[in-house]
Amino acid sequence: THHMFLDRLSWRYATKKMDPAKSVSEDDVAKIVEAVRMAPTSSGTQPFQLFVIRNPEVRAKLREAAYGQSQLTDGSHLLVFAAWDNYSDARIDGILESHEAERGANDGLKAYYERLKGMYLPRDAQTNFDHAARQAYIGLGFALAAAAELEVDSTPMEGFEPEKFDEILGLREKGLRSVVILPLGYRDVEGDWLVNAKKVRRASEILITNID
């Protein structure tokens, strides 16, 4: 059988050289962004924000804070996943309110989020940020899969200076910290040394243990 999605996952790779002459359509970007919005997160908190950066000047500044990696400016869009720096009463109340708006008020729901506050709020900020960052990575995974499905190239990156990104984008004052970034664009088939390289993944028998 022919699995379109798995074919696309085989097609995708961490693109090293994007073609600056090609732009990803806003329609495709909107679909990738919607996949991030639809991604599951712990207790439905979605404790991160997604910045979609088109502005070339801003991307040029961010490129300097990403060790000069060209995908940030050769691609047409840059996604920056910024996680909450901590959980708070107000933030958890906001989640409850959005649930109530969709599903109606519900004592069980209120009790659930009160219990969540009891667990999260006593923890130190770094622990909570780390937890929020893990949720952002689920969003990243969905963005990678959606981009592959649309045959849009992307490069997931941790190779950047988060403090500088936070400064350029004014994140700290919003209670956010940059976690991971994803330039979107189209591969430069001539210029990318990795484009025709065989995909390397650990063999199933090494990676996967079946317990029957």
Side-chain angles (χ1 to χ4, degrees):
T1 53
H2 193 63
H3 291 288
M4 197 63 187
F5 180 59
L6 295 180
D7 288 346
R8 294 276 70 83
L9 293 190
S10 171
W11 169 89
R12 70 149 296 280
Y13 73 113
T15 306
K16 299 302 173 205
K17 181 84 179 76
M18 303 270 193
D19 182 345
K22 292 182 182 164
S23 270
V24 182
S25 76
E26 288 302 331
D27 189 46
D28 281 350
V29 173
K31 288 174 182 160
I32 294 165
V33 167
E34 181 62 4
V36 174
R37 195 179 73 91
M38 293 303 292
T41 56
S42 177
S43 299
T45 49
Q46 294 184 290
F48 63 89
Q49 280 193 34
L50 179 64
F51 289 77
V52 184
I53 304 168
R54 299 170 182 83
N55 185 298
E57 287 80 26
V58 175
R59 287 189 291 126
K61 275 188 204 155
L62 293 171
R63 174 180 171 166
E64 282 173 33
Y67 311 108
Q69 293 177 91
S70 65
Q71 299 96 318
L72 279 79
T73 50
D74 286 346
S76 58
H77 296 70
L78 175 66
L79 305 186
V80 176
F81 293 79
W84 291 358
D85 59 1
N86 202 348
Y87 290 102
S88 67
D89 255 317
R91 279 175 158 169
I92 293 173
D93 285 343
I95 296 152
L96 173 62
E97 282 158 25
S98 64
H99 276 257
E100 287 180 340
E102 293 296 329
R103 295 180 179 172
N106 169 334
D107 289 344
L109 207 58
K110 195 167 171 52
Y112 178 89
Y113 283 105
E114 286 304 316
R115 279 198 303 277
L116 207 64
K117 285 182 187 178
M119 281 192 306
Y120 288 5
L121 301 187
R123 299 193 306 204
D124 66 285
Q126 184 62 37
T127 301
N128 282 337
F129 164 70
D130 289 340
H131 181 263
R134 288 195 293 275
Q135 311 319 306
Y137 273 92
I138 302 172
L140 171 73
F142 273 55
L144 285 164
E149 181 85 41
L150 296 163
E151 294 194 34
V152 170
D153 283 302
S154 68
T155 315
M157 295 181 176
E158 291 179 314
F160 66 96
E161 297 175 79
E163 297 76 21
K164 288 187 180 169
F165 266 59
D166 294 353
E167 199 180 313
I168 293 164
L169 298 173
L171 298 183
R172 291 301 174 109
E173 48 270 37
K174 296 187 178 90
L176 300 169
R177 293 169 60 182
S178 53
V179 172
V180 64
I181 65 174
L182 187 71
L184 302 174
Y186 291 102
R187 58 188 70 174
D188 175 350
V189 179
E190 300 302 296
D192 193 341
W193 57 272
L194 195 56
V195 71
N196 292 317
K198 194 169 182 295
K199 190 171 281 302
V200 181
R201 291 292 185 268
R202 290 164 71 193
S204 304
E205 56 273 19
I206 296 171
L207 186 68
I208 294 150
T209 302
N210 291 297
I211 301 179
D212 297 326

